Amino acid sequence: MDVDAVPLLIVVGVLAGNQVVMRVGALRSRAAVFWSVQALNAAVGAGLIWFGLPGFEHLTVIGWVIGLLFFLKVMQNNQARARFLQAELDEGKQGKAAQIRRALQGNDDE
């Protein structure tokens, strides 16, 4: 394997890690995991914009496009997490409302 292929494989690995974290609910719900992935995305994106992608020095636009892709992933991940947290909140409110309704009707099993 060429030395220039390693950074490209790292970039692909970080993108794959994004998919794993955002698709597995247990990982997405943990703030430490989510924010560490977001920090990694921002760091990789900034590094690609600042230094470029090794092996593609003659095409600086490649580093910019892939770097901006990481910043797009940061925004998409934030939106997905916000929707996830809102759904959890709404689900909790509905459960609480049903519990109050049962208590008012006298059918509370607790």
Side-chain angles (χ1 to χ4, degrees):
M1 178 174 15
D2 194 341
V3 175
D4 291 337
V6 172
L8 185 60
L9 290 176
I10 291 171
V11 167
V12 170
V14 172
L15 283 173
N18 267 309
Q19 291 298 316
V20 169
V21 168
M22 294 310 294
R23 300 218 185 256
V24 177
L27 295 176
R28 180 178 45 193
S29 64
R30 296 197 177 167
V33 174
F34 176 79
W35 289 112
S36 63
V37 167
Q38 291 295 78
L40 182 63
N41 285 339
V44 170
L48 286 170
I49 290 172
W50 188 262
F51 300 111
L53 187 61
F56 294 94
E57 292 87 4
H58 59 287
L59 297 170
T60 57
V61 71
I62 299 293
W64 274 88
V65 169
I66 297 174
L68 291 174
L69 173 71
F70 276 96
F71 286 109
L72 176 66
K73 289 301 293 177
V74 167
M75 291 185 291
Q76 288 176 339
N77 290 349
N78 282 338
Q79 288 176 343
R81 181 162 164 86
R83 283 191 304 269
F84 173 76
L85 293 176
Q86 186 64 44
E88 278 188 344
L89 183 65
D90 292 344
E91 189 177 293
K93 284 181 182 178
Q94 289 173 355
K96 193 66 152 172
Q99 183 182 14
I100 291 170
R101 212 174 296 114
R102 282 192 311 267
L104 288 174
Q105 292 173 350
N107 296 334
D108 193 17
D109 295 334
E110 293 180 32

